[in-house]
Amino acid sequence: MQKVLLINTGGTIAMSEDQTTGKVSPSSENPINTQSSFFNQLADITVVDLFNLPSPHMTMETMLTLSKYVEEQAPHYDGIVITHGTDTLEETAYFLELTLELNTAIVMTGAMRSSNEIGSDGLSNLRSAILVASDPASADKGVLVVMNEEIHTATYVTKTHTTNLATFQTPTFGPIGLISKNQVIYFQNVLRREYYPLNIVHKKVGLLKAYAGMDDQLIRTIETAGYKGLVIEGLGAGNMPPVTVEAIRHLIDKGIPVVMVSRSFNGITEDVYDYAGGGKRLRQMGVIYAQGLSGVKARLKLMAILNTPEFINIEQAFHL
Ligand code: ASP
């Protein structure tokens, strides 16, 4: 039998609903731990309740603590399952992807409905995640996110719906595998893995979203607020309103890298347009184009690069 470590960090999967008021909140006893006899038929499972946090309470420090814990425990297990709130699940998953260099299967899951709501998805997501983590084909694939019987990579998955059970999607490329009634099936390979050995997370990176009529004020506060890097979710393939250009140039002149992603959640950024604020000119000015990553993922990657002690060529690191 495969040995699987189940690390609980909180989220709706560990919550229940008050049947009178409808409020959903953390339970003192994690409801998924009551089903251990069922899950122990799937694998030899060790359970650790590391945190009991709603996922908006996750910080760079708690993610680093989780990463270090997984690194320390991984040699003793065939696979690791991490339960997590869904709101920031994709960010913790990608943080782990960036900061761990392991062959062990690492699978994150959560739930959209708490343990006692009708149609609660927690137990079935956990079952799928345990099946994936104990399948030898899941080794060496980086951090995986398993929800609603689909397997996604940490790098490209995103929460696309506030409440729907099919919320986790990989918009541009699709899932890399699925869980059928009893089997784990992969139909895409993971092409690229990255590793940034982080011990500190104190250099801050900001994230701004562009919009029609945006001025330069928020971009100008980045330097004075102590941010060491900026990610912008730009317009379309990576364009900006012309009035923002001088503020972006100022940041680059001050050695604060500016990374461009798209506010469109599908497709990749490219420097295409040669007009004031267009991608061609922004790239010539030194803006880095991150192909395929969302804003929150690019922010984590730039933060990982800036907090890694060795020199890393940021432009190259962001190129697909
Ligand atoms: N707000 C919850 C959280 O992320 C949502 C969930 O777990 O589904 O903690």
Side-chain angles (χ1 to χ4, degrees):
M1 217 178 209
Q2 300 288 92
K3 282 183 73 181
V4 170
L5 175 64
L6 169 60
I7 305 172
N8 294 319
T9 71
T12 296
I13 195 166
M15 295 184 194
S16 44
E17 184 187 62
D18 184 302
Q19 304 289 323
T20 323
T21 63
K23 286 182 194 161
V24 175
S25 49
S27 315
S28 53
E29 161 99 40
N30 189 334
I32 49 178
N33 291 347
T34 58
Q35 302 295 327
S36 53
S37 56
F38 169 72
F39 291 121
N40 274 313
Q41 292 164 21
L42 305 175
D44 172 5
I45 298 170
T46 306
V47 184
V48 172
D49 292 327
L50 191 62
F51 315 122
N52 192 5
L53 294 173
S55 75
H57 295 198
M58 291 297 285
T59 62
M60 295 302 100
E61 285 73 25
T62 46
M63 288 184 197
L64 188 60
T65 304
L66 175 62
S67 172
K68 294 290 174 202
Y69 185 71
V70 170
E71 190 169 47
E72 180 191 301
Q73 295 298 322
H76 311 297
Y77 296 92
D78 300 301
I80 296 182
V81 172
I82 302 164
T83 63
H84 195 285
T86 60
D87 291 351
T88 65
L89 189 149
E90 68 203 79
E91 285 167 86
T92 299
Y94 190 53
F95 185 96
L96 296 178
E97 172 69 31
L98 293 170
T99 57
L100 292 170
E101 198 179 34
L102 300 169
N103 303 329
T104 318
I106 301 167
V107 181
M108 292 195 59
T109 195
M112 293 301 292
R113 295 186 187 152
S114 63
S115 59
N116 57 344
E117 275 175 69
I118 290 173
S120 170
D121 53 336
L123 293 178
S124 72
N125 283 339
L126 184 58
R127 175 183 178 272
S128 297
I130 293 169
L131 287 176
V132 173
S134 23
D135 191 312
S138 305
D140 226 2
K141 286 198 161 42
V143 178
L144 301 170
V145 172
V146 168
M147 293 283 294
N148 200 36
E149 293 169 356
E150 290 183 346
I151 310 169
H152 298 264
T153 62
T155 309
Y156 297 116
V157 73
T158 190
K159 184 175 179 178
T160 63
H161 194 286
T162 50
T163 52
N164 196 295
L165 301 194
T167 180
F168 280 85
Q169 304 283 334
T170 299
T172 304
F173 316 105
I176 64 162
L178 52 82
I179 299 98
S180 68
K181 271 279 171 232
N182 292 306
Q183 280 186 73
V184 173
I185 304 167
Y186 285 100
F187 44 85
Q188 283 198 61
N189 277 330
V190 174
L191 293 180
R192 190 180 181 205
R193 304 270 314 272
E194 299 169 86
Y195 175 53
Y196 301 97
L198 281 200
N199 290 314
I200 46 159
V201 282
H202 64 232
K203 288 188 185 159
K204 294 194 296 181
V205 173
L207 172 62
L208 292 176
K209 186 170 197 151
Y211 49 89
M214 184 181 195
D215 64 20
D216 59 354
Q217 275 187 315
L218 288 173
I219 299 173
R220 292 209 181 273
T221 60
I222 289 294
E223 185 193 358
T224 46
Y227 288 91
K228 303 298 179 212
L230 173 64
V231 173
I232 302 176
E233 287 186 14
L235 309 171
N239 307 302
M240 290 297 286
V243 292
T244 63
V245 172
E246 281 319 305
I248 294 172
R249 191 196 308 276
H250 175 80
L251 291 180
I252 295 170
D253 289 348
K254 289 283 172 179
I256 298 174
V258 178
V259 171
M260 182 66 68
V261 298
S262 177
R263 71 175 192 175
S264 308
F265 75 97
N266 218 336
I268 59 167
T269 50
E270 271 177 315
D271 53 326
V272 178
Y273 291 95
D274 192 8
Y275 52 69
K280 273 265 173 272
R281 297 199 192 170
L282 292 174
R283 182 134 188 236
Q284 268 159 18
M285 224 171 74
V287 173
I288 295 157
Y289 276 65
Q291 297 184 315
L293 286 179
S294 67
V296 292
K297 305 275 179 81
R299 193 198 78 81
L300 285 169
K301 179 157 163 170
L302 185 56
M303 193 274 308
I305 292 170
L306 295 176
N307 283 284
T308 298
E310 297 98 65
F311 169 77
I312 292 163
N313 181 314
I314 304 177
E315 170 93 41
Q316 269 174 22
F318 273 102
H319 206 74
L320 262 186

